[in-house]
Amino acid sequence: MTTVADRLLNHASTIFEAKGFNAVGIDHLLAEAGVAKMSLYKHFKSKDGLVLAALRRRDQRFRETFAALVEARASEPRARLLAVFDVLARWFEREDFRGCIFLNAAAEFPGADSPIRLAVAEHKAWLREYLASLARAAGVPDPPTLAAELAVLVDGAIARAHAAGEPEAAATAREIAHALVVGRCDEP
C-alpha cells in the first residue's frame, strides 16, 4: 500500500528528474500527486525537505543498481573499471536521459552548507569510493588517485552527454580511462 508521503515522493522524484527543482512549484507537485499541501509539510516540512528526500531515494537506488550493472558487464576487476563507462553509454542512449540529478541539484542549490548540497557531496563521495574499490580489486597502484580521475571522467561524460547532446562522451571517457588504467597497471 502506497502512503501519501510515498505518492508525493514518487511524483516529485519523476518531476524533478524531468524538469529540475526550482522550475517546479509546490502547487504543481501537489496536484500531480493528488495530495494536500498539509501532507507536504507534515511529511517533508518544506519543498527543500522533499527535494532532499527525493535525492536520498535516488542515491539509494543508484547504489543498489550501478554496481550490479557494472558487475553484469564485466567479471574481471580491471574490465569493471571500464565497464563503468559502458553502463553510462547505455544510460545516455535512453530517451528519458536528463543528466545527473545530483549535478543538476548542485547547480540549483549552490549553498555549500545546504543539506541538499551535502546530499550531493555524499553521493559523489560514494561513487568515488566505489571507483577506488574497483581500482583496489584490479591491483592498480594508488587507487584513490585513479578513482578521483575516473570520477572526473564520469561527471564530465554525463555533463557532455546532457548539456551538449553528445552521448558518445561515454566512449570518449572510456578511451581516456583505458589509457589511465593501462598506464597505472604497466608502471614498474
Side-chain angles (χ1 to χ4, degrees):
M1 181 175 189
T2 304
T3 67
V4 170
D6 285 335
R7 190 167 71 236
L8 179 55
L9 186 55
N10 290 339
H11 283 281
S13 296
T14 301
I15 292 168
F16 291 150
E17 289 217 28
K19 298 181 179 181
F21 302 98
N22 293 327
V24 179
I26 290 175
D27 292 335
H28 177 73
L29 291 170
L30 297 174
E32 286 290 318
V35 300
K37 191 175 279 191
M38 194 60 162
S39 295
L40 169 72
Y41 296 113
K42 176 181 176 187
H43 296 289
F44 302 103
K45 308 292 185 230
S46 65
K47 181 181 172 188
D48 282 3
L50 181 60
V51 169
L52 184 59
L55 288 173
R56 291 200 187 284
R57 176 184 274 186
R58 183 69 183 99
D59 178 57
Q60 178 185 0
R61 289 181 178 166
F62 180 86
R63 291 177 191 216
E64 291 169 357
T65 60
F66 191 73
L69 291 170
V70 168
E71 290 167 18
R73 292 198 64 84
S75 58
E76 297 297 319
R78 196 165 162 183
R80 285 183 177 160
L81 287 165
L82 302 178
V84 165
F85 299 95
D86 298 333
V87 171
L88 292 179
R90 303 251 353 228
W91 179 37
F92 298 170
E93 293 169 357
R94 289 177 45 161
E95 192 173 305
D96 64 347
F97 174 70
R98 303 277 187 276
C100 174
I101 193 168
F102 298 96
L103 293 176
N104 296 343
E108 290 193 47
F109 297 92
D113 61 347
S114 159
I116 292 166
R117 190 65 179 266
L118 295 173
V120 170
E122 289 171 15
H123 171 77
K124 294 301 178 181
W126 177 87
L127 178 61
R128 190 169 168 173
E129 179 50 41
Y130 174 68
L131 294 169
S133 73
L134 293 177
R136 279 190 294 279
V140 173
D142 195 10
T145 298
L146 180 62
E149 294 165 346
L150 295 179
V152 169
L153 288 175
V154 166
D155 286 339
I158 294 168
R160 293 297 304 174
H162 178 59
E166 297 175 4
E168 65 276 7
T172 302
R174 188 185 198 284
E175 289 175 24
I176 297 167
H178 182 264
L180 290 171
V181 171
V182 169
R184 293 283 185 342
C185 291
D186 292 343
E187 288 178 356

